[in-house]
Amino acid sequence: MSSDNSSGDEKMHTKVDIREELRPISGAPGLAYHDSSAADPNVSLAIGFRTLSIQVSEHQHPGKPQDDVVNFFEQLTYHNVSVEKLCGMFGTTADRGLDNVVVARNLQRDGKNTIAKKKPKYLLKIISYLFTGFCSILWVAVIIFFICWRPLGNPNPQATNLALAILIIIVILCQAAFSAFQDWSTSRIMNSILDLIPSECVVIREGKTSRMPAVELAVGDLVMLSVGNKVPADIRLIETSDDVRFDRAVLTGESEEVEGSVDSMGETFLEAPNVALMGTHVTNGHAKGVVVLTGGRTVMGRISKLTNKTKQKPTLIQQEIWRFVRIIIFFTVVLALLVLIIWLAWLNHGHHGFMTVDQMLVDVMGCVVAFIPEGVPIAVTLTLTLVARRMKNISVLPKSLSTVETLGCVTVICSDKTGTLTQNKMSVMSAGFVDETYTAQEFREKHATDSAREESAIHLLHRAAVLCNGATFDSATADLPLDNREINGDATDGAILRFVESVGDAPAVRVSQPEIYQIPFNSRNKWMLSMHNSSRLQDSEKKSASLIFVKGAPDVLIPSCTSYYSAVTHDIQPFDLAARTKLVATQEKWSRGGQRVILLCMREYIPYHTVGTNDFSTEISKKGLEELTVVGILGLMDPPRLESALTVKDCRRAGVRFFMVTGDFGLTAAAIARQIGIITTNAEPDSLADVVKQMQDMPSGSLPSCRDPANRIQRSLVLEGKDLVLFTENHWDIATRYEEIVFARTTPEQKLGIVNAFQKRDNVVAVTGDGVNDAPALKAADIGVAVVTGSDVAMEAADLVLMGNFDSIVGGIRLGRLVFQNLQKVIAYLLPAGSWSEVWPVLVNAFLGVPTPLSSFLMIII
């Protein structure tokens, strides 16, 4: 490892290469690391030195903290060094991991593997509690009352003025205490959300594999990653399976999965495929890696620091309260100035003994005390807190009190389908071919009767469904009945896995044709590919040939198909127009019944490049989907949640439009939408052509707001992702006016665009979802709603978590609206019964000399 011999002053003005800062202590290889410029070898300065360098860089480039973070990680070279050198740098080995002595020393140096939360600025908070809102003018009243007590009250100061000053101070302290309680409640709720997300990892230390909390990870630890895991730190991969994939949507907002590998092709640390970043998810395969960065030094940690600096936008209720405060203060100042001006211009000259200076000031402050509703801040805090507690009682957990009122303002709900509106418990209902279709039970019976014909279409479809599948049974439940086994993988693959296991001997099929390579399914491509040894190809010319199976959406794969395997003749036939028409007709028939249709294809292929290389992956990605043979189709059903239909109905009754946004096929999505009441019309839904026609007939000029039901189009609309690609702002002006909408075949980017389109048109949008691909839309929405059974990424991105059934969102909307109703009642009482009725006696006393029935003391108490 290279060492840096420059002075400390020179280092402070350069970007830091951590590999140059850290080197093993001589005589104790691998025990710890320290700054190469430090005099004392037992003192570790790595972390402090890095922090100092970053602070200097940020000071030199104000306003560009993001660039500094990117530049910092561009200097890291952990991903470019060999595995042996990497292990030597951190004093670990690829099989035993760290020693406990090194772990303790590294933890003492680096601290726990946690992202530091934003430290509250208590002084600024106390100042805001005491001097903002109504408190600002009340402090003026305190000062005036003290002045009226002394010196204006000398030689006989009245204790009443002193008591009033002290009483107003008590009122201010009470308001500040309630504001502090509101902030404390918000932070407590936020922490309870974070505690819902357990974080454990599998670590190898001193050759022993154990599961431990991620916060106890140390730099140099050897971590095992498998499908479904959340990456606990920034990790350099040293061993990977061929099919390992990472989902970085939580960091990048993009759903495209990243392929993991041991080697790097010269990318930066942020882009390297051999680096697993903290907070991302393992979507496929398994890997082993060395922890290189923990806690606040990770990519997630540094982004979190930037996020903490972002000023929060005031919520709707905060804006309304501040507007109310400004109005009240304005009228209070006007009344006080009116009394003062009349005293100066008339009473003090024409009736000199009528009112002394201290009496005039007491009357002026009486106007202030009488007109300001001191109870409003406390009422707001109590209302929000009580409603938040009631939300938790109905299994709705808000992350902050501000989300309580936002939910009540929602005008549009964009909901994901799978796992949110449906049970996410798929099962195969139908199986078929271009020229034959069966129910699931008929397919099982046919497979049993055709057991002697290995080359039948039934057996080929069963083999394709077995081999091209990314789900596996959990080994801990392998001995349980088929329906009770836990599955690792997504719901679609899990349903197909249960089906093929119930049909025939799936393990034997896997053993006969082992997997060579796999491209997992992702929401962008909408297909999965697996390559296997071909058991049928025995001649010498085709020894290296392999069999590729592809599974995915029919509309994506059909254009690549040139032939099909016939269930009638049991051989390959040309995929001509007649065959295509039959297949599409079956697909549409099943889709209209609410089934998700999956197409399975195959092809024989001889790869040019060596298996396992990057060139091989590129080759298969391009060539694997050419000249495909249709094997068959499967129809899967994900039944709606029992409460979904009632939830949609209640939201509609509350004036909220309820839309479906899904990646599923259009006809399938429309069928489910009809079952749960999102589409209520019997007529065929409108399409892109109808939107274009209405756009041509649209009058010039600005359109009225679509928040008014009278300005909406009382029909249903079904749009697919390919339609949204063609959309302009004029298209959106028409589409957002429909009363019932289903968006199908959408990508995460398109979901985000849908949210933005409705927000631009004066709608308050809520997004509900449970998957990683929903995270960008959840963050962009006015309020993101996640289901507790969903992914960690969705829960982290959301503003509110549904802890129980989906219908609890209706109760949340009702309680959110209750906030405004309660505040309206409070203000409607305090202004006429309090401020207006109390200010008249003060004015009559000031102008006519009528004794006040209520003193300022009593007005504050009341």
Side-chain angles (χ1 to χ4, degrees):
M1 183 185 301
S2 61
S3 61
D4 190 352
N5 297 323
S6 61
S7 66
D9 291 335
E10 293 173 344
K11 289 181 182 178
M12 290 176 62
H13 298 285
T14 62
K15 292 287 183 181
V16 180
D17 188 334
I18 296 180
R19 291 192 304 123
E20 295 179 351
E21 291 178 16
L22 307 176
R23 63 178 176 82
I25 298 176
S26 58
L31 288 180
Y33 298 88
H34 64 82
D35 181 35
S36 57
S37 64
D40 185 358
N42 295 317
V43 178
S44 173
L45 293 177
I47 298 174
F49 189 76
R50 281 200 300 271
T51 305
L52 176 60
S53 175
I54 291 169
Q55 289 174 347
V56 171
S57 176
E58 289 178 355
H59 179 71
Q60 293 170 345
H61 304 281
K64 294 185 178 181
Q66 293 92 339
D67 294 339
D68 292 332
V69 172
V70 173
N71 291 336
F72 174 80
F73 286 104
E74 285 179 348
Q75 301 298 319
L76 299 182
T77 53
Y78 292 127
H79 57 294
N80 288 329
V81 300
S82 64
V83 174
E84 293 75 14
K85 189 172 183 180
L86 181 78
C87 293
M89 291 166 61
F90 291 100
T92 187
T93 60
D95 53 354
R96 283 183 51 83
L98 287 178
D99 294 333
N100 289 329
V101 176
V102 182
V103 171
R105 189 171 300 181
N106 288 353
L107 286 175
Q108 183 179 7
R109 180 192 66 204
D110 298 340
K112 293 284 188 180
N113 179 36
T114 58
I115 297 177
K117 299 177 183 178
K118 183 179 180 181
K119 294 183 179 179
K121 299 178 180 180
Y122 291 108
L123 180 59
L124 293 179
K125 280 182 173 291
I126 292 174
I127 293 175
S128 66
Y129 295 153
L130 294 176
F131 296 100
T132 56
F134 292 135
C135 294
S136 56
I137 198 166
L138 288 179
W139 277 114
V140 175
V142 169
I143 295 173
I144 297 298
F145 279 124
F146 271 122
I147 293 175
C148 290
W149 175 57
R150 284 183 179 175
L152 292 181
N154 290 331
N156 297 313
Q158 296 190 13
T160 304
N161 292 332
L162 176 61
L164 286 172
I166 295 174
L167 183 60
I168 295 176
I169 291 176
I170 294 174
V171 171
I172 293 173
L173 293 177
C174 289
Q175 291 186 3
F178 269 85
S179 300
F181 175 76
Q182 178 181 351
D183 281 356
W184 173 80
S185 299
T186 301
S187 62
R188 184 166 59 92
I189 294 171
M190 187 65 168
N191 292 335
S192 68
I193 284 285
L194 298 176
D195 293 340
L196 288 174
I197 307 174
S199 184
E200 290 187 336
C201 56
V202 178
V203 182
I204 300 176
R205 287 182 182 172
E206 296 185 337
K208 298 178 181 179
T209 302
S210 61
R211 182 177 292 273
M212 64 178 60
V215 296
E216 297 180 6
L217 275 183
V219 171
D221 260 327
L222 200 61
V223 177
M224 304 294 294
L225 300 173
S226 59
V227 61
N229 287 163
K230 185 176 180 180
V231 181
D234 285 356
I235 297 174
R236 160 67 194 276
L237 304 179
I238 60 174
E239 293 181 15
T240 64
S241 62
D242 293 335
D243 57 348
V244 68
R245 299 287 189 279
F246 296 93
D247 191 331
R248 293 186 174 182
V250 68
L251 293 176
T252 64
E254 300 177 0
S255 62
E256 185 174 3
E257 296 173 348
V258 177
E259 180 181 355
S261 66
V262 175
D263 301 318
S264 174
M265 302 298 291
E267 301 92 340
T268 63
F269 183 84
L270 296 172
E271 300 171 339
N274 60 351
V275 174
L277 299 177
M278 182 182 189
T280 60
H281 286 71
V282 184
T283 58
N284 204 72
H286 59 272
K288 181 195 293 185
V290 176
V291 175
V292 294
L293 295 172
T294 59
R297 292 166 294 282
T298 62
V299 175
M300 179 75 77
R302 293 184 180 274
I303 293 176
S304 177
K305 291 179 182 177
L306 297 178
T307 305
N308 289 337
K309 297 177 182 178
T310 304
K311 292 184 178 179
Q312 290 187 344
K313 186 178 179 180
T315 62
L316 181 60
I317 195 171
Q318 290 171 335
Q319 296 174 8
E320 291 297 321
I321 289 174
W322 271 108
R323 187 166 69 91
F324 174 72
V325 168
R326 287 193 295 268
I327 293 173
I328 293 299
I329 290 179
F330 171 77
F331 281 112
T332 301
V333 172
V334 168
L335 285 175
L337 290 176
L338 180 63
V339 174
L340 177 62
I341 291 172
I342 290 177
W343 182 82
L344 289 173
W346 176 38
L347 296 178
N348 192 37
H349 295 287
H351 308 276
H352 186 69
F354 178 76
M355 184 182 297
T356 62
V357 175
D358 59 327
Q359 290 175 337
M360 180 273 298
L361 292 176
V362 169
D363 279 342
V364 169
M365 290 304 100
C367 290
V368 173
V369 171
F371 203 75
I372 290 182
E374 292 89 352
V376 167
I378 296 176
V380 171
T381 303
L382 283 176
T383 300
L384 291 174
T385 304
L386 292 175
V387 171
R389 289 181 179 177
R390 291 178 64 179
M391 279 191 172
K392 286 191 287 183
N393 291 336
I394 61 171
S395 301
V396 177
L397 193 58
K399 283 187 176 180
S400 66
L401 294 182
S402 61
T403 61
V404 172
E405 52 85 21
T406 306
L407 188 59
C409 302
V410 167
T411 59
V412 169
I413 295 178
C414 296
S415 177
D416 181 41
K417 180 179 73 70
T418 305
T420 305
L421 296 174
T422 61
Q423 300 177 22
N424 202 19
K425 295 179 180 179
M426 284 194 169
S427 58
V428 176
M429 306 297 293
S430 307
F433 308 89
V434 171
D435 44 12
E436 284 286 350
T437 59
Y438 304 94
T439 65
Q441 184 57 35
E442 290 171 348
F443 186 89
R444 294 186 185 97
E445 295 171 357
K446 186 69 173 175
H447 184 275
T449 58
D450 286 358
S451 58
R453 300 185 58 179
E454 289 296 329
E455 298 303 319
S456 69
I458 292 285
H459 282 273
L460 183 58
L461 178 56
H462 177 254
R463 187 190 314 153
V466 169
L467 298 178
C468 192
N469 196 307
T472 58
F473 287 116
D474 192 317
S475 58
T477 60
D479 298 332
L480 297 178
L482 183 60
D483 292 337
N484 297 334
R485 297 178 193 174
E486 295 290 333
I487 290 179
N488 295 323
D490 65 35
T492 302
D493 279 347
I496 297 176
L497 178 62
R498 291 190 196 276
F499 175 68
V500 296
E501 289 284 343
S502 69
V503 170
D505 190 358
V509 175
R510 297 188 190 97
V511 172
S512 65
Q513 292 184 264
E515 184 177 276
I516 300 173
Y517 179 72
Q518 183 189 109
I519 300 178
F521 176 88
N522 65 65
S523 57
R524 183 184 295 273
N525 296 334
K526 302 186 185 301
W527 53 261
M528 172 188 175
L529 179 148
S530 64
M531 178 182 284
H532 304 264
N533 289 329
S534 177
S535 59
R536 297 195 306 113
L537 303 175
Q538 301 293 338
D539 59 280
S540 58
E541 294 182 0
K542 292 188 177 182
K543 277 187 177 179
S544 59
S546 300
L547 196 60
I548 292 177
F549 289 104
V550 183
K551 176 184 66 182
D555 53 317
V556 175
L557 297 181
I558 283 178
S560 302
C561 296
T562 58
S563 59
Y564 73 95
Y565 200 90
S566 173
V568 176
T569 61
H570 301 287
D571 60 2
I572 295 178
Q573 301 288 335
F575 192 57
D576 53 17
L577 180 60
R580 183 187 298 260
T581 303
K582 286 183 179 180
L583 183 63
V584 172
T586 302
Q587 175 197 1
E588 293 181 350
K589 178 183 177 181
W590 289 0
S591 296
R592 286 192 178 94
Q595 296 185 47
R596 172 183 291 182
V597 182
I598 301 296
L599 178 66
L600 289 104
C601 307
M602 71 174 187
R603 73 162 298 184
E604 295 172 356
Y605 185 72
I606 302 176
Y608 178 79
H609 295 94
T610 305
V611 176
T613 63
N614 289 332
D615 290 335
F616 174 82
S617 301
T618 304
E619 177 189 359
I620 299 303
S621 299
K622 292 181 178 179
K623 301 293 185 179
L625 268 71
E626 296 179 356
E627 299 179 0
L628 295 175
T629 298
V630 175
V631 176
I633 54 177
L634 297 174
L636 298 91
M637 174 73 81
D638 183 13
R641 291 178 182 265
L642 298 178
E643 69 273 11
S644 294
L646 183 60
T647 301
V648 174
K649 182 179 179 181
D650 289 341
C651 288
R652 288 269 176 80
R653 192 162 47 207
V656 180
R657 289 188 289 171
F658 200 107
F659 303 147
M660 178 188 291
V661 184
T662 179
D664 213 340
F665 187 61
L667 291 176
T668 305
I672 298 295
R674 276 196 167 91
Q675 292 180 27
I676 62 178
I678 292 179
I679 294 180
T680 58
T681 58
N682 295 324
E684 193 70 19
D686 287 0
S687 61
L688 174 63
D690 298 289
V691 173
V692 172
K693 183 178 179 181
Q694 294 194 53
M695 186 178 66
Q696 295 172 350
D697 299 336
M698 182 176 63
S700 59
S702 60
L703 296 174
S705 174
C706 60
R707 293 186 64 170
D708 185 356
N711 298 325
R712 297 176 190 163
I713 302 173
Q714 300 298 323
R715 294 198 299 274
S716 58
L717 174 67
V718 176
L719 295 171
E720 296 193 356
K722 61 184 179 181
D723 301 327
L724 299 181
V725 174
L726 306 175
F727 261 42
T728 63
E729 291 299 318
N730 290 335
H731 288 88
W732 280 116
D733 288 336
I734 299 298
T736 53
R737 294 180 174 278
Y738 275 83
E739 188 69 34
E740 303 170 351
I741 308 179
V742 172
F743 296 98
R745 311 303 286 163
T746 56
T747 64
E749 292 80 5
Q750 288 173 335
K751 290 184 180 182
L752 183 60
I754 292 168
V755 173
N756 292 333
F758 278 97
Q759 288 176 327
K760 287 180 181 178
R761 287 154 183 84
D762 198 28
N763 289 283
V764 180
V765 182
V767 172
T768 65
D770 66 338
V772 173
N773 59 332
D774 298 319
L778 286 169
K779 282 190 175 182
D782 294 289
I783 180 166
V785 182
V787 183
V788 71
T789 55
S791 65
D792 293 351
V793 176
M795 290 176 60
E796 290 170 354
D799 303 299
L800 183 146
V801 178
L802 302 181
M803 305 297 295
N805 293 334
F806 184 64
D807 58 356
S808 56
I809 192 174
V810 177
I813 294 174
R814 186 180 296 112
L815 290 174
R817 294 182 177 182
L818 187 63
V819 172
F820 282 102
Q821 293 175 5
N822 287 346
L823 292 180
Q824 287 173 351
K825 292 175 182 177
V826 168
I827 293 173
Y829 167 76
L830 288 178
L831 285 184
S835 302
W836 188 249
S837 60
E838 291 176 4
V839 77
W840 273 112
V842 177
L843 296 177
V844 172
N845 172 260
F847 298 145
L848 303 178
V850 176
T852 56
L854 293 175
S855 64
S856 298
F857 181 86
L858 292 177
M859 285 189 286
I860 295 175
I861 295 297
I862 293 175

